[in-house]
mmCIF file of all heavy atoms in Angstrom:
data_model
loop_
_atom_site.group_PDB
_atom_site.id
_atom_site.type_symbol
_atom_site.label_atom_id
_atom_site.label_comp_id
_atom_site.label_asym_id
_atom_site.label_seq_id
_atom_site.Cartn_x
_atom_site.Cartn_y
_atom_site.Cartn_z
ATOM 1 N N THR W 707 -21.696 5.588 -7.834
ATOM 2 C CA THR W 707 -22.992 6.259 -7.860
ATOM 3 C C THR W 707 -23.874 5.863 -6.679
ATOM 4 O O THR W 707 -24.077 4.683 -6.411
ATOM 5 C CB THR W 707 -23.724 5.915 -9.166
ATOM 6 O OG1 THR W 707 -22.926 6.331 -10.269
ATOM 7 C CG2 THR W 707 -25.084 6.582 -9.231
ATOM 8 N N GLY W 708 -24.414 6.867 -5.984
ATOM 9 C CA GLY W 708 -25.377 6.623 -4.920
ATOM 10 C C GLY W 708 -24.802 6.106 -3.622
ATOM 11 O O GLY W 708 -25.558 5.835 -2.678
ATOM 12 N N ALA W 709 -23.495 5.964 -3.527
ATOM 13 C CA ALA W 709 -22.888 5.419 -2.302
ATOM 14 C C ALA W 709 -22.959 6.445 -1.170
ATOM 15 O O ALA W 709 -22.927 7.655 -1.400
ATOM 16 C CB ALA W 709 -21.438 5.015 -2.557
ATOM 17 N N LYS W 710 -23.057 5.937 0.056
ATOM 18 C CA LYS W 710 -23.097 6.773 1.247
ATOM 19 C C LYS W 710 -21.931 6.386 2.155
ATOM 20 O O LYS W 710 -21.805 5.216 2.533
ATOM 21 C CB LYS W 710 -24.405 6.587 2.021
ATOM 22 C CG LYS W 710 -25.661 6.546 1.151
ATOM 23 C CD LYS W 710 -25.879 7.818 0.360
ATOM 24 C CE LYS W 710 -27.102 7.677 -0.533
ATOM 25 N NZ LYS W 710 -27.226 8.806 -1.491
ATOM 26 N N VAL W 711 -21.106 7.352 2.488
ATOM 27 C CA VAL W 711 -20.001 7.142 3.417
ATOM 28 C C VAL W 711 -20.298 8.029 4.615
ATOM 29 O O VAL W 711 -20.286 9.256 4.500
ATOM 30 C CB VAL W 711 -18.649 7.504 2.777
ATOM 31 C CG1 VAL W 711 -17.504 7.142 3.710
ATOM 32 C CG2 VAL W 711 -18.483 6.785 1.432
ATOM 33 N N LEU W 712 -20.568 7.407 5.764
ATOM 34 C CA LEU W 712 -21.177 8.140 6.869
ATOM 35 C C LEU W 712 -20.359 8.049 8.149
ATOM 36 O O LEU W 712 -19.854 6.983 8.504
ATOM 37 C CB LEU W 712 -22.586 7.597 7.135
ATOM 38 C CG LEU W 712 -23.540 7.560 5.930
ATOM 39 C CD1 LEU W 712 -24.847 6.893 6.313
ATOM 40 C CD2 LEU W 712 -23.787 8.955 5.382
ATOM 41 N N GLY W 713 -20.266 9.179 8.845
ATOM 42 C CA GLY W 713 -19.627 9.207 10.152
ATOM 43 C C GLY W 713 -18.164 9.550 10.104
ATOM 44 O O GLY W 713 -17.555 9.699 9.035
ATOM 45 N N ASN W 714 -17.570 9.650 11.286
ATOM 46 C CA ASN W 714 -16.150 9.969 11.419
ATOM 47 C C ASN W 714 -15.323 8.709 11.218
ATOM 48 O O ASN W 714 -14.793 8.121 12.163
ATOM 49 C CB ASN W 714 -15.883 10.583 12.802
ATOM 50 C CG ASN W 714 -14.428 10.973 12.981
ATOM 51 O OD1 ASN W 714 -13.687 11.136 12.016
ATOM 52 N ND2 ASN W 714 -14.014 11.110 14.235
ATOM 53 N N ILE W 715 -15.254 8.282 9.970
ATOM 54 C CA ILE W 715 -14.505 7.075 9.612
ATOM 55 C C ILE W 715 -13.402 7.451 8.630
ATOM 56 O O ILE W 715 -13.416 8.528 8.037
ATOM 57 C CB ILE W 715 -15.413 5.989 9.008
ATOM 58 C CG1 ILE W 715 -16.085 6.504 7.729
ATOM 59 C CG2 ILE W 715 -16.463 5.555 10.025
ATOM 60 C CD1 ILE W 715 -16.907 5.441 7.001
ATOM 61 N N THR W 716 -12.459 6.542 8.465
ATOM 62 C CA THR W 716 -11.322 6.791 7.569
ATOM 63 C C THR W 716 -11.321 5.780 6.437
ATOM 64 O O THR W 716 -11.351 4.564 6.678
ATOM 65 C CB THR W 716 -9.993 6.698 8.344
ATOM 66 O OG1 THR W 716 -9.974 7.696 9.375
ATOM 67 C CG2 THR W 716 -8.820 6.932 7.410
ATOM 68 N N ILE W 717 -11.290 6.286 5.230
ATOM 69 C CA ILE W 717 -11.183 5.453 4.030
ATOM 70 C C ILE W 717 -9.763 5.610 3.510
ATOM 71 O O ILE W 717 -9.319 6.721 3.203
ATOM 72 C CB ILE W 717 -12.189 5.906 2.946
ATOM 73 C CG1 ILE W 717 -13.607 6.016 3.524
ATOM 74 C CG2 ILE W 717 -12.142 4.963 1.757
ATOM 75 C CD1 ILE W 717 -14.155 4.730 4.088
ATOM 76 N N GLY W 718 -9.036 4.521 3.437
ATOM 77 C CA GLY W 718 -7.625 4.584 3.067
ATOM 78 C C GLY W 718 -7.388 4.957 1.617
ATOM 79 O O GLY W 718 -8.319 5.213 0.845
ATOM 80 N N ASP W 719 -6.115 4.967 1.237
ATOM 81 C CA ASP W 719 -5.735 5.289 -0.145
ATOM 82 C C ASP W 719 -6.139 4.159 -1.092
ATOM 83 O O ASP W 719 -6.194 2.986 -0.702
ATOM 84 C CB ASP W 719 -4.226 5.502 -0.242
ATOM 85 C CG ASP W 719 -3.735 6.670 0.607
ATOM 86 O OD1 ASP W 719 -4.550 7.561 0.920
ATOM 87 O OD2 ASP W 719 -2.538 6.679 0.961
ATOM 88 N N ASN W 720 -6.397 4.530 -2.333
ATOM 89 C CA ASN W 720 -6.636 3.551 -3.413
ATOM 90 C C ASN W 720 -7.815 2.634 -3.113
ATOM 91 O O ASN W 720 -7.781 1.439 -3.422
ATOM 92 C CB ASN W 720 -5.376 2.712 -3.663
ATOM 93 C CG ASN W 720 -4.143 3.557 -3.843
ATOM 94 O OD1 ASN W 720 -4.125 4.484 -4.650
ATOM 95 N ND2 ASN W 720 -3.105 3.275 -3.066
ATOM 96 N N VAL W 721 -8.862 3.187 -2.521
ATOM 97 C CA VAL W 721 -10.061 2.415 -2.198
ATOM 98 C C VAL W 721 -11.131 2.671 -3.251
ATOM 99 O O VAL W 721 -11.320 3.808 -3.684
ATOM 100 C CB VAL W 721 -10.594 2.779 -0.797
ATOM 101 C CG1 VAL W 721 -11.990 2.197 -0.566
ATOM 102 C CG2 VAL W 721 -9.644 2.291 0.276
ATOM 103 N N ALA W 722 -11.843 1.616 -3.650
ATOM 104 C CA ALA W 722 -12.987 1.735 -4.552
ATOM 105 C C ALA W 722 -14.244 1.333 -3.785
ATOM 106 O O ALA W 722 -14.291 0.255 -3.192
ATOM 107 C CB ALA W 722 -12.804 0.844 -5.775
ATOM 108 N N ILE W 723 -15.233 2.204 -3.784
ATOM 109 C CA ILE W 723 -16.498 1.935 -3.112
ATOM 110 C C ILE W 723 -17.572 1.774 -4.181
ATOM 111 O O ILE W 723 -17.776 2.665 -5.007
ATOM 112 C CB ILE W 723 -16.862 3.078 -2.142
ATOM 113 C CG1 ILE W 723 -15.799 3.180 -1.041
ATOM 114 C CG2 ILE W 723 -18.242 2.865 -1.538
ATOM 115 C CD1 ILE W 723 -15.988 4.349 -0.100
ATOM 116 N N GLY W 724 -18.252 0.639 -4.169
ATOM 117 C CA GLY W 724 -19.215 0.311 -5.207
ATOM 118 C C GLY W 724 -20.477 1.158 -5.156
ATOM 119 O O GLY W 724 -20.803 1.782 -4.141
ATOM 120 N N ALA W 725 -21.203 1.160 -6.269
ATOM 121 C CA ALA W 725 -22.441 1.915 -6.372
ATOM 122 C C ALA W 725 -23.435 1.487 -5.302
ATOM 123 O O ALA W 725 -23.596 0.292 -5.029
ATOM 124 C CB ALA W 725 -23.050 1.720 -7.762
ATOM 125 N N ASN W 726 -24.081 2.484 -4.669
ATOM 126 C CA ASN W 726 -25.141 2.273 -3.669
ATOM 127 C C ASN W 726 -24.665 1.613 -2.373
ATOM 128 O O ASN W 726 -25.496 1.234 -1.547
ATOM 129 C CB ASN W 726 -26.301 1.474 -4.266
ATOM 130 C CG ASN W 726 -26.982 2.223 -5.388
ATOM 131 O OD1 ASN W 726 -27.260 3.406 -5.272
ATOM 132 N ND2 ASN W 726 -27.238 1.540 -6.487
ATOM 133 N N ALA W 727 -23.368 1.485 -2.193
ATOM 134 C CA ALA W 727 -22.859 0.935 -0.931
ATOM 135 C C ALA W 727 -23.108 1.928 0.203
ATOM 136 O O ALA W 727 -23.210 3.133 -0.014
ATOM 137 C CB ALA W 727 -21.366 0.632 -1.041
ATOM 138 N N VAL W 728 -23.228 1.401 1.412
ATOM 139 C CA VAL W 728 -23.344 2.235 2.612
ATOM 140 C C VAL W 728 -22.184 1.861 3.526
ATOM 141 O O VAL W 728 -22.153 0.760 4.080
ATOM 142 C CB VAL W 728 -24.688 2.024 3.328
ATOM 143 C CG1 VAL W 728 -24.739 2.854 4.608
ATOM 144 C CG2 VAL W 728 -25.847 2.393 2.410
ATOM 145 N N VAL W 729 -21.232 2.770 3.683
ATOM 146 C CA VAL W 729 -20.000 2.491 4.431
ATOM 147 C C VAL W 729 -20.052 3.251 5.742
ATOM 148 O O VAL W 729 -20.166 4.483 5.756
ATOM 149 C CB VAL W 729 -18.758 2.905 3.619
ATOM 150 C CG1 VAL W 729 -17.490 2.527 4.374
ATOM 151 C CG2 VAL W 729 -18.774 2.241 2.249
ATOM 152 N N ILE W 730 -19.963 2.527 6.848
ATOM 153 C CA ILE W 730 -20.041 3.147 8.180
ATOM 154 C C ILE W 730 -18.870 2.735 9.067
ATOM 155 O O ILE W 730 -18.847 3.069 10.257
ATOM 156 C CB ILE W 730 -21.373 2.798 8.868
ATOM 157 C CG1 ILE W 730 -21.577 1.281 8.937
ATOM 158 C CG2 ILE W 730 -22.544 3.461 8.158
ATOM 159 C CD1 ILE W 730 -22.824 0.855 9.694
ATOM 160 N N LYS W 731 -17.900 2.016 8.498
ATOM 161 C CA LYS W 731 -16.716 1.606 9.248
ATOM 162 C C LYS W 731 -15.468 1.936 8.449
ATOM 163 O O LYS W 731 -15.515 2.067 7.226
ATOM 164 C CB LYS W 731 -16.760 0.105 9.556
ATOM 165 C CG LYS W 731 -17.894 -0.306 10.482
ATOM 166 C CD LYS W 731 -17.835 -1.797 10.769
ATOM 167 C CE LYS W 731 -18.963 -2.231 11.711
ATOM 168 N NZ LYS W 731 -18.919 -3.689 11.996
ATOM 169 N N ASP W 732 -14.332 2.023 9.150
ATOM 170 C CA ASP W 732 -13.059 2.297 8.489
ATOM 171 C C ASP W 732 -12.776 1.266 7.407
ATOM 172 O O ASP W 732 -13.139 0.085 7.544
ATOM 173 C CB ASP W 732 -11.915 2.288 9.494
ATOM 174 C CG ASP W 732 -11.972 3.451 10.484
ATOM 175 O OD1 ASP W 732 -12.755 4.387 10.257
ATOM 176 O OD2 ASP W 732 -11.227 3.407 11.479
ATOM 177 N N VAL W 733 -12.121 1.722 6.344
ATOM 178 C CA VAL W 733 -11.734 0.832 5.245
ATOM 179 C C VAL W 733 -10.232 0.980 5.025
ATOM 180 O O VAL W 733 -9.745 2.097 4.809
ATOM 181 C CB VAL W 733 -12.483 1.170 3.947
ATOM 182 C CG1 VAL W 733 -12.016 0.267 2.813
ATOM 183 C CG2 VAL W 733 -13.989 1.051 4.139
ATOM 184 N N PRO W 734 -9.472 -0.108 5.087
ATOM 185 C CA PRO W 734 -8.023 -0.010 4.880
ATOM 186 C C PRO W 734 -7.674 0.315 3.432
ATOM 187 O O PRO W 734 -8.490 0.139 2.521
ATOM 188 C CB PRO W 734 -7.517 -1.403 5.268
ATOM 189 C CG PRO W 734 -8.690 -2.307 5.072
ATOM 190 C CD PRO W 734 -9.905 -1.483 5.392
ATOM 191 N N SER W 735 -6.468 0.770 3.223
ATOM 192 C CA SER W 735 -6.012 1.128 1.880
ATOM 193 C C SER W 735 -6.033 -0.084 0.946
ATOM 194 O O SER W 735 -5.995 -1.240 1.383
ATOM 195 C CB SER W 735 -4.590 1.694 1.941
ATOM 196 O OG SER W 735 -4.554 2.894 2.678
ATOM 197 N N ASN W 736 -6.128 0.208 -0.344
ATOM 198 C CA ASN W 736 -6.058 -0.818 -1.397
ATOM 199 C C ASN W 736 -7.166 -1.852 -1.259
ATOM 200 O O ASN W 736 -6.942 -3.053 -1.408
ATOM 201 C CB ASN W 736 -4.690 -1.503 -1.371
ATOM 202 C CG ASN W 736 -3.552 -0.515 -1.444
ATOM 203 O OD1 ASN W 736 -3.479 0.301 -2.356
ATOM 204 N ND2 ASN W 736 -2.662 -0.559 -0.459
ATOM 205 N N SER W 737 -8.377 -1.374 -0.963
ATOM 206 C CA SER W 737 -9.515 -2.267 -0.780
ATOM 207 C C SER W 737 -10.650 -1.892 -1.718
ATOM 208 O O SER W 737 -10.715 -0.775 -2.231
ATOM 209 C CB SER W 737 -10.026 -2.211 0.671
ATOM 210 O OG SER W 737 -9.028 -2.579 1.588
ATOM 211 N N THR W 738 -11.554 -2.841 -1.918
ATOM 212 C CA THR W 738 -12.791 -2.606 -2.657
ATOM 213 C C THR W 738 -13.954 -2.964 -1.755
ATOM 214 O O THR W 738 -13.954 -4.031 -1.134
ATOM 215 C CB THR W 738 -12.846 -3.446 -3.942
ATOM 216 O OG1 THR W 738 -11.731 -3.111 -4.772
ATOM 217 C CG2 THR W 738 -14.134 -3.192 -4.707
ATOM 218 N N VAL W 739 -14.942 -2.072 -1.664
ATOM 219 C CA VAL W 739 -16.075 -2.246 -0.750
ATOM 220 C C VAL W 739 -17.374 -2.182 -1.534
ATOM 221 O O VAL W 739 -17.561 -1.294 -2.374
ATOM 222 C CB VAL W 739 -16.082 -1.148 0.335
ATOM 223 C CG1 VAL W 739 -17.268 -1.313 1.272
ATOM 224 C CG2 VAL W 739 -14.789 -1.165 1.120
ATOM 225 N N VAL W 740 -18.290 -3.087 -1.254
ATOM 226 C CA VAL W 740 -19.623 -3.054 -1.860
ATOM 227 C C VAL W 740 -20.658 -3.450 -0.816
ATOM 228 O O VAL W 740 -20.326 -3.984 0.248
ATOM 229 C CB VAL W 740 -19.738 -4.010 -3.070
ATOM 230 C CG1 VAL W 740 -18.750 -3.657 -4.152
ATOM 231 C CG2 VAL W 740 -19.530 -5.466 -2.633
ATOM 232 N N GLY W 741 -21.919 -3.197 -1.116
ATOM 233 C CA GLY W 741 -23.010 -3.730 -0.309
ATOM 234 C C GLY W 741 -23.535 -2.796 0.758
ATOM 235 O O GLY W 741 -23.048 -1.702 0.973
ATOM 236 N N VAL W 742 -24.607 -3.288 1.412
ATOM 237 C CA VAL W 742 -25.274 -2.558 2.498
ATOM 238 C C VAL W 742 -25.434 -3.493 3.678
ATOM 239 O O VAL W 742 -26.195 -4.459 3.599
ATOM 240 C CB VAL W 742 -26.663 -2.053 2.053
ATOM 241 C CG1 VAL W 742 -27.334 -1.263 3.174
ATOM 242 C CG2 VAL W 742 -26.555 -1.206 0.792
ATOM 243 N N PRO W 743 -24.728 -3.304 4.786
ATOM 244 C CA PRO W 743 -23.658 -2.308 4.942
ATOM 245 C C PRO W 743 -22.424 -2.703 4.141
ATOM 246 O O PRO W 743 -22.292 -3.842 3.705
ATOM 247 C CB PRO W 743 -23.383 -2.351 6.448
ATOM 248 C CG PRO W 743 -23.732 -3.746 6.853
ATOM 249 C CD PRO W 743 -24.918 -4.118 5.996
ATOM 250 N N GLY W 744 -21.526 -1.758 3.938
ATOM 251 C CA GLY W 744 -20.359 -2.006 3.102
ATOM 252 C C GLY W 744 -19.484 -3.128 3.632
ATOM 253 O O GLY W 744 -19.210 -3.199 4.827
ATOM 254 N N ARG W 745 -19.060 -3.998 2.723
ATOM 255 C CA ARG W 745 -18.174 -5.106 3.080
ATOM 256 C C ARG W 745 -16.991 -5.116 2.120
ATOM 257 O O ARG W 745 -17.135 -4.851 0.927
ATOM 258 C CB ARG W 745 -18.904 -6.441 3.005
ATOM 259 C CG ARG W 745 -20.091 -6.554 3.944
ATOM 260 C CD ARG W 745 -20.766 -7.885 3.804
ATOM 261 N NE ARG W 745 -19.904 -8.989 4.237
ATOM 262 C CZ ARG W 745 -20.206 -10.281 4.053
ATOM 263 N NH1 ARG W 745 -21.309 -10.624 3.422
ATOM 264 N NH2 ARG W 745 -19.388 -11.219 4.485
ATOM 265 N N ILE W 746 -15.831 -5.456 2.653
ATOM 266 C CA ILE W 746 -14.622 -5.522 1.830
ATOM 267 C C ILE W 746 -14.653 -6.803 1.003
ATOM 268 O O ILE W 746 -14.779 -7.903 1.545
ATOM 269 C CB ILE W 746 -13.366 -5.485 2.710
ATOM 270 C CG1 ILE W 746 -13.290 -4.157 3.474
ATOM 271 C CG2 ILE W 746 -12.104 -5.676 1.863
ATOM 272 C CD1 ILE W 746 -12.168 -4.095 4.494
ATOM 273 N N VAL W 747 -14.570 -6.648 -0.318
ATOM 274 C CA VAL W 747 -14.556 -7.811 -1.196
ATOM 275 C C VAL W 747 -13.183 -8.060 -1.801
ATOM 276 O O VAL W 747 -12.937 -9.123 -2.366
ATOM 277 C CB VAL W 747 -15.599 -7.672 -2.322
ATOM 278 C CG1 VAL W 747 -17.000 -7.620 -1.752
ATOM 279 C CG2 VAL W 747 -15.328 -6.437 -3.169
#
């Protein structure tokens, strides 16, 4: 909920992006991202 994925970036397979996260960089597959800016946890 409320997450923003911005720009020409690639989010891999099986990725979970947390609520209200702001993702502006590529995220590899099988990852979980949270926070502002988005960080892999």
Side-chain angles (χ1 to χ4, degrees):
T707 301
K710 316 299 177 190
V711 186
L712 306 175
N714 182 20
I715 60 175
T716 299
I717 309 300
D719 298 337
N720 310 308
V721 168
I723 297 175
N726 296 315
V728 177
V729 184
I730 55 176
K731 295 182 180 180
D732 292 348
V733 178
S735 296
N736 306 305
S737 301
T738 301
V739 179
V740 300
V742 182
R745 299 179 66 189
I746 297 173
V747 297

